[in-house]
Amino acid sequence: MIADLGYDGVALTLDTDHLDPFADELPRRVAAVGRRLEQLGLGVVIETGARYLLDPWRKHSPTLLEEGRELRLDFLRRAIDIGADLGAEAVSFWAGVKPADVDGSTAWDRLVDGCAETLDRARRKDVTLGFEPEPGMLVDDIAAWRKLHAALGSPAGFGITLDIGHCRCLEPDPVPDCVTAVAGHLVNVQIDDMRRGTHEHLEFGTGEIDFPPVLAALSAAGYTGLVAVELPRHSHAAPAVAAASLDFLRSC
């Protein structure tokens, strides 16, 4: 369906029904997905935001900030391996919400250590990482991503996943300026509409973002990777929303 609509690629969230990285016969499944992507001429990025894959009771748990984070690290290692096998443009991940019983210093140290370990795996597999600032998480904006990047030694291969809606939600600068500010580190882009101060992914034209200047900024930045429509609350109407979203972006 994505290919038939005219999209150039897919942001594939590994999940129970979408190339579960813990499933039996994983190499066979990955190979089948790779063949299908090639047949359809689709690029791919790997997303790791499955809500209940690791813990069926707690959303996104465990994160890199928690006790038991080894399960998250194992998941990220598997995601990197899958990304390498599929030739993914990037593997995207985020920090997680700081647990109430973990102090800020401990949470930060755990994040840096976990990112360093993940980066080591990615380097060995020649995979690019895109770290996403996420509202409400320990790394929630571009400034916090810069702090993390510096704490890791400003490494190559540790880029940023920029969600355009998040920029409108909480960044102080205009959205096109956010794109320009991280142009040299962009490895993955997610796009959706949003309103200031409210983290809700909206269909295009129903929020506050003026999209032609944003797309112009991406072009001026020389970004040639995928720009993935991310509307997590609209899967019940996926075919119609996917078609309308692409039409909107083309019109911009």
Side-chain angles (χ1 to χ4, degrees), residues 64-65 76 90-96 108 111-112 114-115 128-134 137-141 144-146 148-149 152 157-163 185 187-188:
L64 291 174
L65 314 181
L76 293 176
V91 171
S92 185
F93 69 116
W94 32 246
W108 180 256
L111 176 62
V112 173
C115 287
T128 298
L129 296 178
F131 192 95
E132 181 184 4
E134 181 82 21
M137 293 190 178
L138 186 63
V139 174
D140 57 355
D141 59 13
W145 175 85
R146 291 191 188 281
L148 176 61
H149 189 244
L152 292 168
F158 189 88
I160 189 169
T161 291
L162 190 69
D163 186 303
H185 301 286
V187 298
N188 184 28

Side-chain angles (χ1 to χ4, degrees), residues 55-198:
D55 185 332
W57 295 97
R58 299 186 303 148
K59 179 182 176 181
H60 290 157
S61 290
T63 71
L64 291 174
L65 314 181
E66 300 176 40
E67 292 287 349
R69 61 190 179 279
E70 179 55 41
L71 181 57
R72 172 66 57 176
L73 288 167
D74 182 33
F75 173 39
L76 293 176
R77 287 191 293 267
R78 292 167 183 260
I80 288 167
D81 292 350
I82 291 171
D85 289 340
L86 294 181
E89 295 181 10
V91 171
S92 185
F93 69 116
W94 32 246
V97 176
K98 187 185 80 65
D101 60 348
V102 177
D103 66 85
S105 177
T106 298
W108 180 256
D109 289 345
R110 287 175 175 176
L111 176 62
V112 173
D113 289 346
C115 287
E117 183 174 331
T118 302
L119 180 60
D120 180 64
R121 179 66 163 228
R123 282 171 169 163
R124 285 188 277 123
K125 292 287 185 173
D126 196 24
V127 168
T128 298
L129 296 178
F131 192 95
E132 181 184 4
E134 181 82 21
M137 293 190 178
L138 186 63
V139 174
D140 57 355
D141 59 13
I142 292 172
W145 175 85
R146 291 191 188 281
K147 179 183 175 183
L148 176 61
H149 189 244
L152 292 168
S154 302
F158 189 88
I160 189 169
T161 291
L162 190 69
D163 186 303
I164 298 302
H166 294 172
C167 294
R168 177 57 188 161
C169 178
L170 50 70
E171 295 287 351
D173 296 325
V175 179
D177 291 354
C178 294
V179 173
T180 302
V182 296
H185 301 286
L186 273 180
V187 298
N188 184 28
V189 174
Q190 300 162 352
I191 196 163
D192 45 79
D193 213 341
M194 208 167 283
R195 299 188 182 97
R196 172 70 68 184
T198 302

